[in-house]
Structures are given as structure tokens and as C-alpha cells.
Amino acid sequence: MGNINASVDLRRDGEIAVVTVDNPPVNALKHEVRAGLAEALRQARDDATVKAVVIACAGRTFFAGADITEFGKPPQAPGLGEVIAAIEAMPKPVVAALHGTALGGGFELALACHFRVAVAGARVGLPEVKLGLLPGAGGTQRLPRLIGPEKALKMIVTGDPIEAPEALTDGIVDEIVEGDLTTGTIAFARRVAAENRPLRLVRDREDKLSAEGFADAAEALTRRLRGREAPAACVEAVRNAIVLPFEEGLKREGELFRKLVAGDQSKAQRHVFFAEREAARVPGIPEGAKPRPIARGAVIGAGTMGGGIAMCFANAGIPVSIVETGRDLLQKGLDRVAANYRATVSRGGLGAEEVERRMALINGVTELDAVGSADVVIEAVFEEMELKKRVFGDLDRVAKANAVLATNTSTLDVDEIARATSRPRDVLGTHFFSPANVMRLLEIVRGAATSPDALITAVTLGRRLGKVPVTVGVCYGFVGNRMLARRSVEAERLLLEGALPQQVDAAVTGFGFPMGPFAMADMAGLDVGWRIRNGRGERNEIEDALCEAGHFGQKTGKGYFRYDAGSRTPLPDPEVEQTILDASSRAGITRRAITQEEIVERMIFPMVNEGARILEEGIATRPGDIDVIWVYGYGWPVWRGGPMYYADQLGLAHLRDRLTLYAERSGDETLRPATRISRLAAEGRGFASSAPA
Ligand code: CAA
Ligand code: NAI
């Protein structure tokens, strides 16, 4: 008894052996933990005075899963399967004490225990699918036996955890304890030992294993997951649980896991997992810099973005004021927020009471003075520099000292806006994506004068709002939109050369995006860009012709596609086709057939090229930051790891050669490979190898 190793401790509480694991921050089941668990279990088994065993974790959570950093390295015994086998072979009760997030291998270990006890705030789940995997330690075989295949499949294919009370109802958890978890679990263990309760293992249960409804459920759950290998493997494994003996199902699960873990999709998804966490580390922040406390927020402008941003605050439980220029506009904005919440209620996403609680956190006002109590102010007024400068000048007067002053601008110079105040160190950009209450990406724009603590305040707030914050520098369009602009230019060029919108969109969705560039343009509305171009004396041959003919996108039932009344399904439009043919002939272009492969390359490579320039200029810190931006802001298929990761997989020499070809063919010098691409390609390296440590 005592310390087994640096991560595992075994102590006695009377006749109960208590194994406590402490491997911060999330108690991942790394080798030392597994070895310590195996040894602790052996000692508890061999000690005849031990009547029951409790497995608990110190710190903020029960095991959050296997140690992802060990994937792809040579396996070290004991594996998790061996630890689990030792639990199941135990001749006395083993009770898991769950708190925090019992995920993946951690939850699978708990499923092998005879009993599970939890605190009310605990959550359990099998998120492996989010890493391109399936649960590889028996989860696909045990969970269906415990709660039935249909519900198990839902948890496994979505990867979303459930809360302890639901787990109790489902029979996953045997008891929810109030007060101290370990004390409660020890008492529970003492009780089951005293009562001599039969030690029933989940693996031996057969009563819930019905195939009824399984095929339909599988179809419904995987319909929208085209191109992904892991969800299909999850379905296969759970089906095996129904039709095969336990050991055989377990063996197949292991085979599927090993195939996935070695595959490209899971590698890409693991890259995104770590890149997301890396992105939260902002360079140049001095040791000891602390985020400022945020108890209240304010949003200026109750339009499309302002309303969504206010919802983010309310959803996170932070009171927020929203400021408009007049009563009517304010009411309109608040009505839109309420309607959004009502839609969530009708989809079953939220209870009506909860919505009321959140609406009560949003305080609509028409006087700017109301922002005086806010710790952070986010401006979301029209995209006009003079207006924004005026608003920031006013904020400078009314906002309290040390408040973070943020602009949601999508294109304007944050430094110029900052100079409209006497405190540019408190000013930065928070670029939310539309719809702001849904999209996870948050580009945080660091101005020349932004102070490190204002910056980390914004990053910390972003995470509190459930966003994925990525810090970027000041330039037109920042990172995401600046790269997207390259895709738009190329998409238009493809139409002029011979492609049609439906072909381009099909190539892009075939690659894995949920939507093609033209359906996306129709959704956003074509008229906005048209008005901007008109103002600047610029022209876009096809899109301007469409706008002149009233094709503003979905809002007018026609854009690049046509839409039947009440439908959002894009349909090919002969009128648009004619407009495109006319534009080609006006430009003197002989149209040609364009392959899907060429479309994909031209939709992606110019963006990567821009991404390389963005890295050269230091606008983004790491290639992984750009990947995270594209996965969370633009629907880049996560199993392809993001544009910079994808380019690395293809090889930068290939990218260099294709970009050179496209530059020469089009005469567009911006398509020439960026210096960084040429240099890395010549050195036989990728973006990842050039990232700062
Ligand atoms: N392995 C290794 N490191 C992990 C990890 C894991 N399973 N889970 C989290 N970490 C690391 C993170 O990289 C991060 O490290 P840094 O601080 O160095 O950046 C740190 O732990 C904290 O993580 P978060 O910032 O994500 O903390 P959070 O409190 O926001 O979230 C969490 C905690 C919900 C557990 C979240 O980290 C998470 O979802 N982790 C992944 C869980 C998972 O996918 N488990 C399944 C693993 S696969 C498996 O178990 C296979 C199997 O069947 C055997
Ligand atoms: P919007 O036109 O829907 O809303 C702007 C609102 O600001 C209007 O309700 C207007 O009455 C209000 N307003 C104007 N002046 C004001 C003032 N002095 N005080 C208080 N309120 C004032 O615009 P939207 O789309 O919400 O955009 C807002 C900002 O967010 C812009 O800078 C835009 O570039 C940016 N943005 C927009 C995105 C989008 O998809 N719509 C995406 C990301 C950023």
C-alpha cells in the first residue's frame, strides 16, 4: 500500500482499498498510469483483508481517456485492455468514482467495473469518433449491453457526452452521491461488500441486445457524415455487439481501432485536436500576465452580429447590455434574439425556462452610458470606419478603466480604430462568424498597441463563450476571409473558363465541405459585395450581371442557383448559365471542359498560397492556427486536417508546381507560389516543420 508510482496511490479505508490516480491535467491513461493501476489491482486482489476496491481520480476529472500523445508510438504493456481484464477478473467488487468528464478509455474502464458512482455534475461519453477513431477498449461491446445498441450507437457516433442524471436513468451509473465523492463511493463499496451483492459484469449481460430499430438508427446517424471512416466503423462494431459473442466482438473492435488509428483521417483529426489547444497559447505574453476578470459585457449594435454575440454572453451566463440607436431598432434586434431562442426550444435544444433565464441576462438600452459597468465592450455597428471611430471615441469617455474594447469589424484597420481612443492598449478585434451564436471560430485581432493582458482576457473570454479563439494580426480580411477571397477570385475564373456553379460546388462538397462557394454566396447574399464594388468602382463580371438582374441570392429566391419557394436547396438555373456564357464570350474566352480534379486544386491551392503569405507576414503564428480557423469557421472537413496540413500531406513541391502552372496559364501573378512554399519545397519540408516551437 502507499504510492505505487508517481501517478498512482493505493491506500486503505478499513476493508476498502482506494486507488487514486493523479496525472494532471486530465488524468489521461498514459503508460505509467496503466502500470500503476495494474499493480494496485494486483495488490488489492491478493490481500484477503480487502473486501472491495474503489478507483478514483484526483484533480478536475476522472480519466478523460487514453493518452492521445501515445497514439502512433509503439505500444507499451500493460495496455488498457489488460487493466480492464484485471478489473473484470477481480473476485471482489470494483467501484468507479466518476467526476468531471469520464471520457473514452476512461469511461470504458468504468464500464468494466462492477459499479459506477458519480457526482451530479459528472459527464460520461465516448468522444473517440471526434478523433477519427472508435472506442478501442471495449466501449462498443459493453455500452450496447448496458443501455441497448440504439442509444449506445448514438453516443458513440456523435461522440457527445451525457450528464450524470441521464446516465443514472439509463443505468450507466448506479448512484449519484451528494458531498465528497470518494467518501460517498467508499460508503457505497462498503455497502455492496456487506450485502454480498452479486458481481455482475456488463460483458455478461445480453437482455438489451436487440437489433430492432438499429439499422434505421445507424442510417439516420451517419447520413450526413459522408467521407468519414470512423462513424462507419462505429456502426460496424456496435452491430458486432449484437450479432457476435463478446470476445469475438472485442477482437473485431481492436482490429477496427488499429486500422483507424494508423489511417490518414484520424491523424488529421488528432492534428486539429492539438492545433486547437496550441492556438490558445499566444506568443509574446509575458510570464504571469493574467486575464482581467469579466463579470459583465456590452455589445454595441443589435443587428445580425450584435444579437448573436449577446446570445453568446447570455448562453455563458454573463449579463450583457446591448445598445442600439433607437427603440424600434432595439426591439427588432431583441425580437430576433427571442426568435432564435424559440427556434432552439422547438428543436428540443433548450427548455423554455432556460431561455427565459438567458433572455433576462440581456439588457437592451438606447444610451451608451449603460456600457459604463461592462468589463468588455464589443462593437458590432455598420462596417464604416468613420462610424466605428466615433463609437470608439464615445466608448473612451464612458467605458470604465481597464475595460477591454473590442471591434467585430471584418475588414477595417483595428489600429486606426484603436487610435480613436486614449487607450489603444485596451483595444483589439473580436471577429465572430455568422451566425455568431453558432459558429465556434473567433479570430482575435491583436493590434499594434494591444496589451498582453487585454489579449489574454479576450482569449479567455472566447473560451468561456464556448468559442475556439485564434489570435491573428491586422490586415485586410484577417486570416480566414483573406484566404477565402482567393477562392472567390478563382471560383469566378472557373465559371468564365468553362465550369458552371453546380459543378464547382459539387467538386467542393465532394472534397468534404458542407457547402460549395456559390451556394454559400447565395446564402450570404450577393448584393452586399455588389454595393461595395460599386462604391469602389470595381467590377465582377458574372456576379454584378446577376445582381443587376435581381439575383441577390436566397433572399430573392435566385442567385447563382434558383430556389423553390420555402426551400434552401440550390437548383441549377438556365438563366444563370446564359449569363455565364455571355460573360465568357464578352471576355473572349473559348469555354472548355474542366475536370473535378482541377476545380478542387484551384479552390484550395490559391488559399494555401495566401496562407503561406499570412505566415510570412506573421499575421498568423502557426500553420496549425490557420487549420483551426478553416475547420471551425468555414466547414473545412476536419478529417482532412485543415488547408496547411492538407498541403503538407500532398507535398509542397507539388503545390509549387501546380501554382506555377496556374499562374502562367492565367497571367495572374498572385498565383505564383509564395516564397515560403518555394523555399520549403526546395528543402523537401512542409509548413509543419517550419512552425515555431
Ligand atoms: N490525452 C493527452 N492529452 C490530453 C487528452 C488526452 N486524452 N485530453 C486532453 N489532453 C490535454 C490537452 O492537450 C491539454 O494540454 P495543454 O494544456 O498542454 O494544451 C490539456 O490536456 C487540457 O485539455 P483542454 O484544454 O482540452 O481542457 P478542457 O478542460 O477544456 O477539456 C476535456 C477537458 C473535456 C477532457 C478535453 O481535453 C477533451 O475532450 N479531451 C479529449 C478526450 C478524448 O478524446 N478522449 C478519448 C481519447 S481516445 C481513447 O480513449 C481511445 C480508447 O478508446 C482507448
Ligand atoms: P447589421 O447592419 O445587421 O447591424 C448593425 C447594427 O448596428 C444596426 O442594427 C444599426 O442600427 C446598429 N448601429 C449603427 N450605429 C450604431 C451606433 N452608433 N450605436 C449603436 N448601434 C448602432 O450589421 P452586421 O452584419 O451585424 O455587422 C456588424 C459588424 O460585424 C460589421 O462591422 C460587420 O463587418 C461585422 N461582421 C459581420 C458579419 C456578417 O456575416 N454579417 C460577420 C463578421 C463580422
Side-chain angles (χ1 to χ4, degrees), residues 148-344:
E150 210 177 313
K151 173 98 197 243
L153 186 70
K154 182 164 174 235
M155 285 183 70
I156 291 169
V157 169
T158 63
D160 295 333
I162 62 169
E163 312 273 336
E166 185 178 347
L168 181 71
T169 312
D170 287 346
I172 293 174
V173 162
D174 299 282
E175 189 171 296
I176 291 186
V177 296
E178 312 271 339
D180 182 67
L181 175 65
T182 312
T183 313
T185 311
I186 292 170
F188 179 91
R190 196 163 275 138
R191 212 160 60 235
V192 295
E195 291 167 6
N196 250 333
R197 274 202 220 168
L199 300 185
R200 215 166 137 220
L201 291 173
V202 173
R203 59 182 282 157
D204 297 329
R205 302 192 190 178
E206 299 283 333
D207 50 306
K208 298 240 169 78
L209 285 182
S210 150
E212 206 183 311
F214 181 77
D216 289 346
E219 159 62 20
L221 283 166
T222 53
R223 197 176 297 139
R224 293 180 55 202
L225 301 173
R226 273 173 310 117
R228 294 199 186 193
E229 291 160 5
C234 292
V235 171
E236 186 181 334
V238 176
R239 188 181 299 115
N240 287 341
I242 308 172
V243 298
L244 297 178
F246 181 82
E247 282 300 335
E248 187 58 26
L250 199 61
K251 195 168 137 246
R252 297 277 185 92
E253 179 197 85
E255 288 161 7
L256 287 167
F257 182 86
R258 281 189 292 279
K259 192 162 152 227
L260 290 175
V261 84
D264 293 339
Q265 295 197 355
S266 176
K267 279 187 200 145
Q269 288 180 245
R270 271 139 48 201
H271 159 72
V272 174
F273 177 86
F274 287 115
E276 178 188 332
R277 280 148 185 87
E278 186 73 23
R281 273 188 271 278
V282 185
I285 303 287
E287 194 80 29
K290 284 206 170 53
R292 305 175 191 170
I294 302 279
R296 274 201 84 82
V299 176
I300 318 293
T304 312
M305 295 306 287
I309 296 168
M311 287 174 79
C312 295
F313 277 88
N315 293 347
I318 308 172
V320 61
S321 300
I322 184 160
V323 187
E324 252 299 341
T325 45
R327 278 272 137 217
D328 289 352
L329 284 167
L330 175 63
Q331 197 51 50
K332 245 171 94 181
L334 292 174
D335 289 348
R336 218 171 13 235
V337 168
N340 266 337
Y341 273 132
R342 271 199 306 276
T344 316

Side-chain angles (χ1 to χ4, degrees), residues 25-26 28 60 64-69 71 80 101 103-105 108 127-128 131 133-137 257 273-274 277 281 463:
V26 298
R60 67 193 209 211
D67 186 334
I68 304 168
T69 60
F71 290 169
L80 186 54
T101 40
L103 299 179
E108 293 175 287
E128 285 86 344
L131 297 169
L133 298 170
L134 50 58
F257 182 86
F273 177 86
F274 287 115
R277 280 148 185 87
R281 273 188 271 278
R463 291 196 81 168

Side-chain angles (χ1 to χ4, degrees), residues 570-587:
L571 302 168
D573 184 344
E575 203 182 304
V576 173
E577 197 169 322
Q578 195 53 52
T579 306
I580 293 170
L581 297 184
D582 293 346
S584 297
S585 82
R586 273 202 308 280

Side-chain angles (χ1 to χ4, degrees), residues 379 383-393 395 405-409 411-422 424 427-428 478:
E379 165 277 313
E383 185 76 343
E384 290 163 21
M385 183 52 102
E386 287 317 308
L387 172 64
K388 294 211 191 256
K389 279 161 75 170
R390 212 165 54 237
V391 169
F392 273 77
L395 284 177
L405 307 180
T407 169
N408 190 49
T409 180
T411 53
L412 299 175
D413 183 344
V414 174
D415 292 327
E416 192 178 339
I417 295 173
R419 284 194 295 271
T421 72
S422 65
V427 179
L428 45 77
F478 312 121

